[in-house]
């Protein structure tokens, strides 16, 4: 059994045992949460402790890789511009559509109340800004205090500026610093893998408390969450078709037929990297020159995830709605900026790692409690399908669009590198 299925099984068993215990002896079931609660919290804290160094390290190495790619030629630079614009656009799409979806298709009030009761210890984290405070605090005055206070957006802005500054150094100095942060990331990933090895225990403990306090409402709420967040991923997937038709100037039916094999590989493997050969074939069928596709697609697989910021923001907004945390303009702006900026830093991580590393900073920046993420990571397998298929679809669409704009560059090989 894979780790993802073990985690999901732990979630189901934890909620199930909690429900059964509450039916047999409500007081005894709640007394047992005095033991399971601290166990689950300790596991969650172990994940939290690596977020700051992991995000900073990933941003530095991610920006370095993107800058190196952009320097490789005009096609690569144009690809990076498409990627950045699409990431911000899909994040804004999520910021608009997710609240609408949550209002139109609401979580039943009794479920929401029960879930809030099950996380009575959850408190907003970080500084929750008004819109004026958002602009006033977006640049940190003290980066150490920002890191210590879980002020993720100011910390992210500093890390981003630091990463771009490193790209302007001499090659020897740049390689030393990038290598240092790459080693930092690798060390944090080792710790996270250790923590995730204990995930079935931690998630069982968290789920037991939810089941004991909420009953069967927990299962209904998780299904509502899966459908809501997956819907945002599906919208990003559909926007890939729009990009292909409008900017790539290909017919909708032709694009759908060409990209279908790559989507099938994405569903079966849940890996954009494994889908790369099929994406290359689809791009060439749609008229993209091999030299152009051979530049854009590897960069896309390495540093671009179209669905990530939109779905990460959707998760944070869902948890806020779930727990009754009001989200004003300042909180939403902080969430959008954090989601869009941190995406490039988390793309190379496995799904269970990238979920927490990507969503936690967004939640904290918005003042949303992150205790619920320990449960939601257990059901990430299904939304992750939409993440991967959406990424593959958009990667192919951008490749076709860039190839259309770069036809002249391919005709002048001194402009673009040979592949």
């Amino acid at each position: 059994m894979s780790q993802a299925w073990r985690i999901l099984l732990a979630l189901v068993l934890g909620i199930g045992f909690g429900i059964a215990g509450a039916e047999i002896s409500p007081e005894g079931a709640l007394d047992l949460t005095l033991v399971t609660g601290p166990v689950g919290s300790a596991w969650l804290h172990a994940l939290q402790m690596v977020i700051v160094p992991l995000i900073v390290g990933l941003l530095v190495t991610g920006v370095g890789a993107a800058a190196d790619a952009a320097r490789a030629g005009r096609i690569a630079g144009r690809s990076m511009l498409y990627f950045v614009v699409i990431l911000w656009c899909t994040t804004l799409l999520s910021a608009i559509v997710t609240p609408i979806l949550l209002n139109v298709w609401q979580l039943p009030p009794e479920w929401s109340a029960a879930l809030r009761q099950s996380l009575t210890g959850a408190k907003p984290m970080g500084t929750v800004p008004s819109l004026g405070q958002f602009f006033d605090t977006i640049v940190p005055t003290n980066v150490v205090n920002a890191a210590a206070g879980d002020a993720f957006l100011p910390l992210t802005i500093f890390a981003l500026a630091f990463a771009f500054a490193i790209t302007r150094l001499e090659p020897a100095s740049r390689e030393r610093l990038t290598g240092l942060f790459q080693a930092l990331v690798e060390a944090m990933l080792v710790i996270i893998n250790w923590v995730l090895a204990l995930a079935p225990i931690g998630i069982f403990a968290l789920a037991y408390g939810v089941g004991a306090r909420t009953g069967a409402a927990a299962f209904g709420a998780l299904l509502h969450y899966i459908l809501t967040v997956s819907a945002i991923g599906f919208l990003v997937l559909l926007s890939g078709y729009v990009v292909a038709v409008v900017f790539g100037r290909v017919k909708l039916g032709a694009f759908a037929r060409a990209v279908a094999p790559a989507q099938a590989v994405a569903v079966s493997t849940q890996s954009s990297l494994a889908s790369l050969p099929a994406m290359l074939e689809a791009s060439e069928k749609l008229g993209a020159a091999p030299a152009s596709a051979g530049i854009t697609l590897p960069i896309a697989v390495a540093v671009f995830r179209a669905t990530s910021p939109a779905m990460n923001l959707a998760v944070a907004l869902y948890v806020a709605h779930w727990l009754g945390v009001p989200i004003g303009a300042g909180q939403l702006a902080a969430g959008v900026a954090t989601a869009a900026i941190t995406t490039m830093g988390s793309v190379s991580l496995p799904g269970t790692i990238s979920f927490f590393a990507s969503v936690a900073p967004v939640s904290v920046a918005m003042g949303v409690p992150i205790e619920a993420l320990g449960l939601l990571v257990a059901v990430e397998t299904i939304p992750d399908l939409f993440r991967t298929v959406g990424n593959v679809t958009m990667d192919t669409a951008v490749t076709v669009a860039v190839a259309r704009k770069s036809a002249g560059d391919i005709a002048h090989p001194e402009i673009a590198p040979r592949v």
Side-chain angles (χ1 to χ4, degrees):
M1 184 181 294
S2 68
Q3 180 71 350
W5 284 106
R6 284 196 293 269
I7 290 174
L8 181 59
L9 179 61
L11 174 75
V12 173
L13 290 177
I15 294 176
F17 274 101
I19 294 173
E23 288 292 329
I24 297 171
S25 173
E27 291 186 2
L30 290 178
D31 287 343
L32 188 56
T33 62
L34 297 176
V35 177
T36 61
V39 172
S41 296
W43 176 77
L44 195 62
H45 294 162
L47 278 178
Q48 290 177 236
M49 72 179 179
V50 300
I51 291 178
V52 169
L54 183 64
I55 290 297
V56 173
L58 285 169
L59 275 174
V60 170
T61 55
V63 168
D68 288 342
R71 279 193 291 265
R74 192 175 297 175
I75 295 174
R78 187 175 288 121
S79 301
M80 292 304 305
L81 178 61
Y82 267 96
F83 297 157
V84 171
V85 171
I86 288 172
L87 288 175
W88 280 90
C89 287
T90 56
T91 309
L92 291 171
L93 174 69
S94 178
I96 296 170
V97 175
T98 304
I100 295 175
L101 190 59
L102 288 172
N103 286 326
V104 171
W105 187 43
Q106 295 186 3
L107 186 69
E110 60 275 15
W111 292 4
S112 183
L115 290 166
R116 280 198 296 272
Q117 182 183 1
S118 73
L119 292 173
T120 52
K123 299 178 181 179
M125 297 182 61
T127 301
V128 182
S130 65
L131 186 59
Q133 291 171 331
F134 166 75
F135 289 106
D136 185 50
T137 61
I138 192 171
V139 178
T141 57
N142 187 319
V143 67
V144 176
N145 286 344
D150 285 330
F152 270 103
L153 182 57
L155 178 64
T156 300
I157 295 297
F158 169 79
L160 195 64
F162 181 67
F164 277 111
I166 289 177
T167 66
R168 304 299 298 272
L169 299 178
E170 293 296 324
S173 298
R174 184 171 67 246
E175 290 175 7
R176 282 198 298 271
L177 275 175
T178 303
L180 172 65
F181 281 94
Q182 182 61 46
L184 174 66
V185 168
E186 292 173 0
M188 293 301 103
L189 291 180
V190 170
I191 295 176
I192 289 179
N193 282 324
W194 290 344
V195 176
L196 287 178
L198 300 174
I201 298 173
I203 289 176
F204 177 89
L206 292 171
Y208 174 83
V210 172
R213 294 188 177 96
T214 67
F219 288 113
L222 288 173
L223 178 61
H224 186 271
Y225 160 81
I226 290 171
L227 295 175
T228 302
V229 174
S230 297
I232 299 301
F234 185 67
L235 282 179
V236 177
L237 186 157
L238 292 180
S239 68
Y241 291 85
V242 176
V243 170
V245 172
V246 175
F247 298 100
R249 299 181 184 177
V250 298
K251 293 182 178 180
L252 179 60
F255 179 77
R257 287 190 297 272
V259 79
Q263 292 172 332
V265 175
V267 169
S268 61
T269 64
Q270 292 186 251
S271 169
S272 296
L273 182 60
S275 307
L276 181 57
M279 285 191 284
L280 281 168
E281 183 178 353
S283 301
E284 293 178 11
K285 284 183 179 179
L286 294 167
S292 177
I295 295 170
T296 302
L297 275 176
I299 298 174
V301 171
V303 300
F304 178 53
R305 291 293 186 274
T307 59
S308 288
M311 295 183 72
N312 294 342
L313 181 64
V315 174
L317 289 172
Y318 189 94
V319 174
H321 181 76
W322 172 0
L323 299 180
V325 178
I327 300 296
Q331 291 97 310
L332 189 58
V336 168
T338 305
I341 292 172
T342 57
T343 296
M344 281 191 169
S346 63
V347 295
S348 61
L349 301 177
T352 51
I353 298 177
S354 63
F355 176 83
F356 201 89
S358 300
V359 179
V362 179
S363 298
V364 173
M366 297 170 66
V368 177
I370 65 173
E371 282 77 1
L373 299 184
L375 295 175
L376 299 182
V377 71
V379 295
E380 176 60 13
T381 301
I382 297 174
D384 193 50
L385 287 173
F386 288 88
R387 289 179 185 264
T388 308
V389 176
N391 292 337
V392 166
T393 304
M394 187 65 79
D395 287 353
T396 307
V398 171
T399 300
V400 174
V402 170
R404 175 74 62 178
K405 294 288 185 182
S406 305
D409 295 340
I410 294 297
H412 298 84
E414 71 279 0
I415 295 177
R418 295 181 181 273
V419 179

